[in-house]
Amino acid sequence: MDGYPSPNYCFPILFIPYFLLPSSHGPSSPSPSFTTVSLTYFVLGVVIAGDNMLYSIGLLYLSASTYSLICATQLAFNAVFSFFINSQKFTALILNSVVVLSLSASLIAVNGDSDAPSRVSKWKYFLGFVSTVGASALYSLLLSLMQLSFQKVLKKETFSVVLEMQIYTSLVATSVSIVGLFASGEWKSLQGEMDGFGKGTVAYVMTLVWTAVAWQVCAVGVVGLIFVVSSLFSNVISTLSLALTPVASVIVFHDKMNGIKIIALLLALWGFASYIYQNYLDELETKKTQNEVKEASNDSNI
């Protein structure tokens, strides 16, 4: 568990925007029962906690490049889950987007050193590999289940439901992670890990805190895109950001921009443009259908 519960533990900061958001006074669907909502958040929170654990095992036993390469498969998993769970319509443009963005993320991954970390046995390497594949599949399933929850269970039209989703699932995930932390006995190593941090104890705490804050901001964006558009679109944006990371590294850390990174960036932009263009075509088709229905209604009233 990486020596601390999970990046979800900073969820209380989300209460600030939650209470600042205006409440909706318009007509809304009947509210689901407290039991149904609680069970939904509990199940999703447990899935998040399990996903965090699997990702942690992968990070522990795999090199960063191998780990990233496997994580790139989550978009393909998400495409499958979106088709069966969310009735996602697939076209040539969307399929092209999924494939090209996955290739882009894979190029970024293999750009680094892909050898197994030193002093890692074959069994641990295999365990890290299986855990990361499982984590990618579970994360994709989680996104599709969140979309299903918004559409079939929560049925709210205000953005506050996004914050509620993130707050309550994070509460459950953090609680499960804390129980696991103490049950495994890893809490005993926290002080040693803190003392052994190269930059000092204060830097260690600040790193955890600001990583958690950044994670919450990112998670709200991911869940928000699921709420507004779809789980697949949210994952497309996440995969696109993986290819844009080297650009940020060049600007901030003055890293070198090699040919592989440039090709990966161009592929990512191509895949993203394909998805956006398909959304544009869908919107035109929707408007055309609405106009035809409106014209037919007007003709029948004459």
Side-chain angles (χ1 to χ4, degrees), residues 2-3 8 13 55 58 68 99 130 143 171 181 207 232 261 274 294 302:
D2 287 355
N8 298 287
I13 66 170
Y55 274 129
S68 299
V99 173
V130 172
L143 297 186
L171 172 62
L181 182 68
T207 299
L232 185 60
K261 292 179 181 179
S274 295
K294 186 177 180 179
I302 295 175

Side-chain angles (χ1 to χ4, degrees), residues 1-2 4-9 40-57 131 134-135 138-139 142 146 166 168-181 215:
M1 296 199 184
D2 287 355
Y4 60 96
S6 75
N8 298 287
Y9 59 80
T40 299
Y41 288 146
F42 178 78
V43 171
L44 292 176
V46 171
V47 172
I48 291 172
D51 199 40
N52 288 340
M53 184 189 70
L54 290 175
Y55 274 129
S56 297
I57 295 174
S131 297
L138 195 59
Y139 177 74
L142 175 66
M146 282 186 171
Q166 183 59 24
Y168 297 128
T169 56
S170 293
L171 172 62
V172 174
T174 300
S175 301
V176 172
S177 298
I178 289 175
V179 170
L181 182 68
W215 173 260

Side-chain angles (χ1 to χ4, degrees), residues 228-278:
V228 175
V229 188
S230 69
S231 61
L232 185 60
F233 181 76
S234 179
N235 215 341
V236 164
I237 296 298
S238 298
T239 308
L240 173 67
S241 67
L242 183 63
L244 295 178
T245 300
V247 178
S249 299
V250 171
I251 297 173
V252 178
F253 302 111
H254 306 292
D255 287 355
K256 294 182 179 180
M257 192 71 169
N258 58 30
I260 293 180
K261 292 179 181 179
I262 293 174
I263 293 174
L265 176 61
L266 293 176
L267 284 173
L269 293 175
W270 175 19
F272 180 67
S274 295
Y275 196 98
I276 294 298
Y277 184 62
Q278 180 61 59

Side-chain angles (χ1 to χ4, degrees), residues 23 36 49 52 79 82 86 112 124 132 147 169 184 215 228 236 247 254:
S23 58
T36 301
N52 288 340
S82 294
N86 309 123
K124 288 182 177 179
T132 307
Q147 181 180 342
T169 56
S184 65
W215 173 260
V228 175
V236 164
V247 178
H254 306 292

Side-chain angles (χ1 to χ4, degrees), residues 76-230:
F77 281 122
N78 196 196
V80 175
F81 289 130
S82 294
F83 179 78
F84 288 105
I85 298 176
N86 309 123
S87 301
Q88 172 73 47
K89 183 181 70 173
F90 272 88
T91 64
L93 286 171
I94 289 182
L95 185 60
N96 173 75
S97 176
V98 170
V99 173
V100 172
L101 280 167
S102 298
L103 288 174
S104 172
S106 300
L107 279 176
I108 292 296
V110 300
N111 186 58
D113 176 21
S114 60
D115 294 330
S118 58
R119 293 176 293 179
V120 172
S121 65
K122 291 183 177 179
W123 162 246
K124 288 182 177 179
Y125 184 82
F126 175 76
L127 179 61
F129 178 86
V130 172
S131 297
T132 307
V133 172
S136 298
L138 195 59
Y139 177 74
S140 301
L141 176 62
L142 175 66
L143 297 186
S144 292
L145 291 177
M146 282 186 171
Q147 181 180 342
L148 186 67
S149 299
F150 282 134
Q151 295 173 341
K152 303 297 184 181
V153 180
L154 303 176
K155 299 180 182 179
K156 291 185 179 180
E157 297 182 0
T158 59
F159 195 76
S160 60
V161 71
V162 173
L163 295 176
E164 290 174 2
M165 172 71 79
Q166 183 59 24
I167 289 170
Y168 297 128
T169 56
S170 293
L171 172 62
V172 174
T174 300
S175 301
V176 172
S177 298
I178 289 175
V179 170
L181 182 68
F182 282 92
S184 65
E186 287 189 19
W187 65 273
K188 299 176 183 178
S189 64
L190 288 179
Q191 186 62 46
E193 183 177 315
M194 188 181 300
D195 295 336
F197 193 69
K199 299 294 183 178
T201 302
V202 175
Y204 177 85
V205 173
M206 293 298 290
T207 299
L208 292 187
V209 169
W210 288 109
T211 299
V213 170
W215 173 260
Q216 288 299 326
V217 174
C218 175
V220 169
V222 168
V223 177
L225 285 175
I226 295 174
F227 173 70
V228 175
V229 188
S230 69

